[in-house]
Amino acid sequence: MENKQRENWGSRIGFLMAAAGSAVGLGNIWRFPYMAGENGGSAFILIYLAFALIIGISIMISEFAVGRRTELSAVGAYQSINRNWTFAGVLGVLSAFFIMGFYPVVGGWALAYILKSVTGLLSDPAAIGDAFGAFITNPIEPLIWMLVFLAMNIAIVAKGIAGGIEKAGKVLMPTLFVLLILIAARSVTLPGAGAGLDFLFKPDFSKVTGATYLAALGQAFFSLSLGMGCMITYGSYLGKSENLPSNALIVTVMDTSVALLAGIAIFPALFAFGMEPAVGAGLVFVVVPQIFAAMGGIGALFSVIFFLALAVAALTSSVSLLEVVTAYLIDQRGWERKKSVYTAGGIMVVTGILSSLSLGLMSGFTLFGVGIFDFFDILTDKIFLAIGGLLLAVFVGWFMDKKDLEDEITNGGTVKFGLFNVWYNLVKYVIPVAIAIVAVMGIMSIEQTGLMLFGLAVIVVLAIFSKKL
Ligand code: PHE
């Protein structure tokens, strides 16, 4: 590799915004509420919070440390420390491709809803649910929006780290936050909102199974952009004087607060409207427009801003996914940035089209019993990210030098990290065991066993062929 100075973040706040931008996305606002709805609410939320705050922060510190130490993206980072571990990085790149198999579809929905907010969607609140179903199963319309969304990703990532990704995040993340607070305030003051708050905050552990734990763990990883090398890659662009644990703490707290805010925005309103919590992937696209429709004229304006902010939150996340693949091609294959972006983006166009069509026209076509959209979603969320996190923890705990880690995390002894040993023991012993237990329990109690076994087989195959990669 040439000896060029590595691209760097423009500023501290720029990095934080980009990392938080990667974390905060559809995972918080679209996925978290419907997962909570399908998994019984508060108990799921508590488990998710515990996983995010204990396992999530520890893994994030680890990813930052590995990335900054090696100054390489996922694959190179593993490989430069231990060649046998190349596959763990490759699994990350594959995860990025798979998440990008469905993420732009939902990103496209958000874009479409910006326009729909002012073209009559809100005029008939009772029809909002049906309108969503009709929209996502339409063969053309969501496809076009998905392509627009992907094109935006390609344009941003082609411009490089500090130029594109960083600027987009800085402006639009705060907007989203303010907006969610406004919606939440409206939602909790609707008559009948109390039932929603109970659903969110009164835990009922009788509904908890192994699948609940796996869903909560997958959600924590997905939402924090962990387990697939994204934060390794972002960490590789991070300056040597940045405090890794405090950055990880800030990103995690921001991410979980946005998820909780989204819950508070949605569930009180959902119960106030007399709807069912377990409606699945359409939740935000159905409940939030109804809240706005009930506000009269000003609702349309709020709706436009909300879906705009959602689309941008999605964009700052999906660019980080595209960046993982791009950085791999640049660092490992020595390609130019533009060529890397266009190639990766081109493949994503194909998977995105298949995934979008799988909700309508191609709904009869299934892999391991699920459509293509769900195939990408379930494989990454339920298997790849959790196993990716487990591999990272084992790697950091057992295959890296403790002194090196301490040196990296304390910036050569210049910043204090009093919890270093706690972190180290968590990563080395507790987290691998915890993830393994959750994975086994979850995989046993999940319906799509064939798909789970397929996912595990992919990882085993990668591991076997790792040295050739
Ligand atoms: N964390 C993002 C979200 O919540 C999704 C994501 C996952 C981004 C993994 C990068 C890596 O929407």
Side-chain angles (χ1 to χ4, degrees):
M1 253 195 26
E2 80 250 73
N3 234 339
K4 225 168 47 184
Q5 167 98 51
R6 191 160 184 79
E7 270 185 90
N8 235 303
W9 299 101
S11 61
R12 160 110 208 262
I13 192 79
F15 167 76
L16 259 183
M17 283 298 160
S22 166
V24 178
L26 296 171
N28 308 62
I29 298 162
W30 161 70
R31 192 173 223 288
F32 172 78
Y34 93 75
M35 291 298 280
E38 284 179 344
N39 286 286
S42 52
F44 168 87
I45 295 174
L46 274 181
I47 299 168
Y48 155 81
L49 280 178
F51 283 161
L53 295 178
I54 301 169
I55 301 182
I57 294 186
S58 308
I59 296 284
M60 195 179 291
I61 295 175
S62 312
E63 291 206 13
F64 285 164
V66 169
R68 193 174 66 173
R69 185 94 195 154
T70 57
E71 297 198 313
L72 288 168
S73 53
V75 176
Y78 274 108
Q79 193 177 48
S80 67
I81 298 175
N82 187 325
R83 276 197 81 80
N84 291 332
W85 280 82
T86 312
F87 80 99
V90 175
L91 177 65
V93 175
L94 191 67
S95 303
F97 263 119
F98 278 23
I99 297 176
M100 282 303 269
F102 69 92
Y103 208 92
V105 175
V106 184
W109 297 348
L111 285 179
Y113 268 63
I114 301 172
L115 191 68
K116 287 183 188 293
S117 301
V118 286
T119 53
L121 175 74
L122 306 184
S123 59
D124 184 1
I128 288 173
D130 293 340
F132 177 75
F135 167 62
I136 65 164
T137 51
N138 181 299
I140 306 290
E141 208 190 336
L143 210 71
I144 292 172
W145 290 107
M146 184 275 295
L147 291 173
V148 173
F149 184 82
L150 254 181
M152 294 165 114
N153 278 278
I154 293 171
I156 293 176
V157 178
K159 283 176 110 187
I161 283 299
I165 301 178
E166 201 170 326
K167 283 205 189 92
K170 254 189 216 168
V171 189
L172 286 146
M173 296 313 294
T175 314
L176 177 71
F177 202 73
V178 172
L179 223 88
L180 272 177
I181 293 177
L182 281 176
I183 303 172
R186 175 71 270 225
S187 181
V188 295
T189 50
L190 287 168
L197 292 171
D198 285 352
F199 182 79
L200 282 171
F201 298 116
K202 278 212 185 121
D204 171 6
F205 280 93
S206 67
K207 295 200 188 79
V208 172
T209 66
T212 318
Y213 282 95
L214 184 61
L217 185 70
Q219 176 61 27
F221 275 106
F222 184 88
S223 183
L224 292 167
S225 305
L226 297 176
M228 42 80 65
C230 179
M231 293 302 183
I232 297 181
T233 306
Y234 272 24
S236 75
Y237 303 119
L238 190 55
K240 290 291 178 199
S241 59
E242 298 296 348
N243 184 330
L244 302 185
S246 80
N247 275 302
L249 178 69
I250 296 172
V251 172
T252 306
V253 168
M254 278 167 80
D255 188 68
T256 45
S257 358
V258 173
L260 288 178
L261 254 181
I264 299 172
I266 286 173
F267 286 105
L270 176 129
F271 281 90
F273 297 142
M275 293 168 59
E276 274 296 309
V279 294
L283 188 56
V284 215
F285 292 94
V286 176
V287 176
V288 172
Q290 292 201 29
I291 303 178
F292 291 134
M295 289 180 180
I298 189 85
L301 178 66
F302 277 142
S303 184
V304 169
I305 304 175
F306 174 78
F307 285 108
L308 180 67
L310 181 62
V312 170
L315 195 61
T316 56
S317 298
S318 53
V319 292
S320 71
L321 290 157
L322 182 53
E323 176 64 22
V324 167
V325 183
T326 303
Y328 162 73
L329 295 172
I330 296 174
D331 289 350
Q332 301 307 119
R333 298 268 166 254
W335 289 13
E336 299 252 298
R337 176 167 279 274
K338 285 218 160 60
K339 178 181 170 194
S340 310
V341 176
Y342 296 147
T343 308
I347 300 174
M348 290 165 188
V349 166
V350 177
T351 52
I353 291 176
L354 291 175
S355 179
S356 179
L357 291 179
S358 77
L359 300 173
L361 209 59
M362 287 174 56
S363 60
F365 178 79
T366 59
L367 290 167
F368 298 98
V370 297
I372 293 174
F373 183 105
D374 291 335
F375 174 83
F376 288 137
D377 181 5
I378 297 172
L379 259 190
T380 46
D381 179 65
K382 297 276 189 323
I383 297 250
F384 285 6
L385 299 187
I387 302 288
L390 177 118
L391 291 172
L392 180 89
V394 171
F395 179 74
V396 168
W398 299 86
F399 291 83
M400 282 179 79
D401 188 56
K402 190 175 177 187
K403 279 269 157 317
D404 285 353
L405 287 166
E406 184 157 21
D407 180 65
E408 193 59 43
I409 289 176
T410 60
N411 299 352
T414 55
V415 295
K416 265 188 93 85
F417 180 40
L419 295 173
F420 178 78
N421 279 313
V422 175
W423 167 80
Y424 187 72
N425 288 312
L426 273 173
V427 169
K428 185 165 182 147
Y429 304 106
V430 181
I431 292 176
V433 174
I435 297 180
I437 295 174
V438 171
V440 170
M441 281 186 349
I443 290 171
M444 286 187 333
S445 60
I446 219 159
E447 295 135 48
Q448 303 92 352
T449 322
L451 182 56
M452 298 291 114
L453 295 176
F454 169 76
L456 291 175
V458 168
I459 299 173
V460 171
V461 169
L462 280 182
I464 293 172
F465 292 106
S466 69
K467 288 202 202 103
K468 301 215 179 70
L469 293 162

